[in-house]
Amino acid sequence: MPLDFTAIDFETANSSPASACAVGLVRVRGGEVVATAGWLIQPPPGHDEFMEWNVRIHGIRPEHVATAPSWADQFDRLCAFAGADVLVAHNAGFDLNVLRRAAEATGQICPPYRSLCSLQVARKTYQLDSYRLPLAAAAAGYDEFSHHDALADARACAHIVVDAARRAAAADVFALADALSLRVTEPALPTLERAVA
């Protein structure tokens, strides 16, 4: 099986995991980036207040998303890009939680995505003082990118996993996880109430 996956990164408007305001997606096939996509998102109603702390981090303001597609309007596009791939993210728990919570907030069913955390991969692959995305990406040979730009961050995650797989001589993300004593996480099954709602 080749090294195929989709790297994903979200930026959020506030502390609510449902407040996605931007997404970046990078498709990798055979260890090579073959497609990228990124766009702004109107966060779901009730999760759409922009907090100054978040704005300072990513620079996205309410006026920037005023004409962007809503979460509900762009959800199918996001899922179509990701397909059935394993999703890779730096602190994957955060990004997968954003995906699930924003879908829940708009009454959509999130596909059962599997994931691999590039932060955990970096910790097992490099000897660094910090494993923040810019430093881990630089160790993978990918530096000078616009941190907290969702697409740039997703591309950095992809480079970390590709570099780690090369170093571990791992043919795919499952072999990489095995080589590093990590695991590709399986999705939590939705509760019956959520599935019916």
Side-chain angles (χ1 to χ4, degrees):
M1 184 181 296
L3 186 63
D4 294 352
F5 62 88
T6 291
I8 188 168
D9 182 80
F10 284 107
E11 301 299 328
T12 55
N14 55 61
S15 59
S16 166
S19 68
C21 62
V23 65
L25 297 154
V26 174
R27 183 181 298 132
V28 172
R29 293 291 180 267
E32 300 288 336
V33 172
V34 298
T36 64
W39 57 84
L40 295 173
I41 303 166
Q42 284 184 36
H47 303 272
D48 52 356
E49 180 182 358
F50 278 75
M51 303 300 287
E52 191 55 38
W53 171 257
N54 295 66
V55 171
R56 274 204 303 268
I57 290 171
H58 52 57
I60 303 169
R61 298 185 173 278
E63 57 267 27
H64 297 143
V65 303
T67 59
S70 69
W71 175 268
D73 288 340
Q74 66 82 55
F75 185 65
D76 287 345
R77 178 183 176 197
L78 188 161
C79 294
F81 189 101
D85 279 4
V86 172
L87 299 183
V88 166
H90 210 67
N91 189 9
F94 170 83
D95 293 281
L96 272 290
N97 196 37
V98 170
L99 185 55
R100 285 191 293 267
R101 296 301 182 197
E104 284 177 9
T106 53
Q108 294 160 306
I109 302 297
C110 186
Y113 288 116
R114 299 160 298 168
S115 64
L116 180 65
C117 181
S118 63
L119 174 58
Q120 293 177 359
V121 168
R123 285 179 174 149
K124 296 275 192 164
T125 303
Y126 311 117
Q127 294 295 318
L128 303 172
D129 292 331
S130 166
Y131 293 90
R132 291 180 59 246
L133 184 58
L135 296 174
Y142 185 76
D143 48 15
E144 302 298 324
F145 69 97
S146 181
H147 188 30
H148 294 300
D149 172 274
L151 180 54
D153 285 0
R155 192 183 289 271
C157 293
H159 277 81
I160 291 167
V161 170
V162 169
D163 181 63
R166 180 186 56 78
R167 291 172 184 242
D172 59 35
V173 291
F174 301 97
L176 175 61
D178 286 346
L180 300 179
S181 299
L182 297 172
R183 65 187 180 91
V184 173
T185 60
E186 295 294 330
L189 295 174
T191 62
L192 182 59
E193 302 86 71
R194 282 193 195 137
V196 170

